[in-house]
Amino acid sequence: MQAEHINPFLRAVVNAFSTMLECEARRGDIALADTKTQRYPISGVIGLSGKAAGTVVINLSEEVAIKSASTMLMMEITEVNEDVIDAVGELANMIAGQAKAELEEYDLSVSLPNVITGHGHDILFPSDIKQISVPFDTDFGPLNLEVGFETITAGVGV
Amino acid sequence: MQAEHINPFLRAVVNAFSTMLECEARRGDIALADTKTQRYPISGVIGLSGKAAGTVVINLSEEVAIKSASTMLMMEITEVNEDVIDAVGELANMIAGQAKAELEEYDLSVSLPNVITGHGHDILFPSDIKQISVPFDTDFGPLNLEVGFETITAGVGV
């Protein structure tokens, strides 16, 4: 994964929180995700494929997920329910969608968003992919963005 | 998700186990995944996108994952390590790759495989997607295949 590929994802997080949630997201330090433990129990995951292949993970606490869903749906939600799961999937979808638009040279399309739940769940990448993990601090609480991305050489790939 | 879309994935599981692992995989009954709990602690997940969007999940016990990796690598592996994670990702990749070839009218490409670990982890689909879950019994032990797939109407989608 090259540094130039991460920037569209970073901008997409800030923009998605700003436009969908009217919530400021402030970026922390970028790190290679050498410790692969997800810190929070809810992850929105979406795949990107085309002339590159990638995965975007937005890893949230229950609090951030519930506040995001409550804001999106303009109603008070108090527990992780189907609306919250859909909201986290939609957040992942928006982030992937904006990053894809900025990375147009790779002709990317997005898979279905999935939401992983479970305290202690971990999302691992193939060992030859160097994924990048970036913490954000938002007005709703902290979250992590995790991205793995590799360009595909012509003729290679399934 | 239409019934015609599940068959390429079912055949892909049988073929991947047969050709990569010399292991017979016998299909159980197909069910709409109304209970969304993953039964086993390791899941290989890969996204498909193009003129349709989908996710393939192969959900395994530690035993099946370790035996699969040991067979692929022709070495005795006794615990879930990086080799096992890569093997589960490769299994997901092979299943998605074969199904994609059979579903050529959707011009699909595959994202990066990810492997989710964690006892009690759950993989949820958007609430408007009816994913299908199919148990398999193999010579290595039981596993679940879970697939969500939706065709994209022209002009719709991110």
Side-chain angles (χ1 to χ4, degrees):
Chain A
M1 171 140 194
Q2 292 158 19
E4 72 206 59
H5 295 137
I6 189 72
N7 289 324
F9 295 96
L10 299 175
R11 282 192 288 270
V13 170
V14 172
N15 282 357
F17 271 78
S18 165
T19 57
M20 280 179 81
L21 305 175
E22 294 186 19
C23 172
E24 190 187 345
R26 295 164 292 274
R27 203 192 89 192
D29 290 335
I30 296 176
L32 282 179
D34 48 353
T35 167
K36 294 179 176 175
T37 306
Q38 295 286 318
R39 273 171 249 162
Y40 308 112
I42 302 179
S43 295
V45 179
I46 191 160
L48 289 162
S49 58
K51 293 176 186 163
T55 306
V56 184
V57 178
I58 179 116
N59 177 236
L60 309 170
S61 65
E62 292 180 351
E63 186 189 5
V64 174
I66 289 170
K67 284 184 179 171
S68 298
S70 297
T71 305
M72 265 188 231
L73 297 171
M74 292 185 286
M75 58 192 270
E76 176 92 8
I77 299 175
T78 56
E79 58 175 2
V80 176
N81 59 17
E82 191 176 274
D83 288 334
V84 174
I85 298 299
D86 278 349
V88 173
E90 182 54 25
L91 206 48
N93 199 40
M94 282 212 43
I95 293 166
Q98 182 183 328
K100 155 185 125 92
E102 286 198 39
L103 293 162
E104 61 182 343
E105 67 268 36
Y106 298 110
D107 196 19
L108 297 168
S109 52
V110 296
S111 70
L112 287 177
N114 288 103
V115 177
I116 318 290
T117 61
H119 289 273
H121 82 263
D122 203 356
I123 300 180
L124 306 170
F125 286 73
S127 58
D128 58 341
I129 299 290
K130 291 286 168 268
Q131 76 269 28
I132 286 178
S133 179
V134 187
F136 282 83
D137 179 41
T138 79
D139 296 343
F140 293 166
L143 60 87
N144 298 316
L145 171 75
E146 198 153 280
V147 181
F149 190 83
E150 63 167 6
T151 57
I152 294 172
T153 313
V156 180
V158 178
Chain B
M1 171 138 194
Q2 292 159 21
E4 72 207 60
H5 294 137
I6 189 71
N7 289 323
F9 295 96
L10 300 175
R11 281 191 289 269
V13 171
V14 172
N15 282 357
F17 271 78
S18 165
T19 58
M20 281 179 79
L21 305 175
E22 295 186 20
C23 172
E24 191 188 344
R26 295 164 292 274
R27 203 191 87 195
D29 290 337
I30 296 176
L32 282 177
D34 48 352
T35 167
K36 293 179 178 177
T37 305
Q38 295 287 315
R39 275 169 248 163
Y40 308 112
I42 301 180
S43 296
V45 179
I46 191 160
L48 288 163
S49 59
K51 292 176 185 162
T55 307
V56 184
V57 178
I58 180 112
N59 178 236
L60 310 170
S61 66
E62 292 180 353
E63 186 190 4
V64 175
I66 290 170
K67 284 183 179 171
S68 297
S70 297
T71 305
M72 264 188 232
L73 297 170
M74 292 185 287
M75 58 191 270
E76 176 90 9
I77 298 174
T78 56
E79 59 174 1
V80 175
N81 59 18
E82 192 177 274
D83 286 335
V84 173
I85 299 301
D86 279 350
V88 172
E90 182 54 26
L91 205 49
N93 199 40
M94 282 213 43
I95 293 167
Q98 182 183 327
K100 153 186 127 93
E102 285 199 39
L103 293 162
E104 61 181 343
E105 67 269 36
Y106 297 111
D107 197 18
L108 297 170
S109 52
V110 296
S111 70
L112 287 178
N114 288 103
V115 176
I116 318 290
T117 60
H119 288 273
H121 82 262
D122 202 355
I123 300 179
L124 307 170
F125 286 73
S127 58
D128 58 343
I129 299 290
K130 292 285 167 269
Q131 76 268 29
I132 286 178
S133 180
V134 187
F136 281 82
D137 180 40
T138 80
D139 296 343
F140 292 166
L143 59 88
N144 297 317
L145 171 76
E146 198 153 280
V147 181
F149 190 84
E150 64 165 6
T151 57
I152 294 171
T153 313
V156 180
V158 178

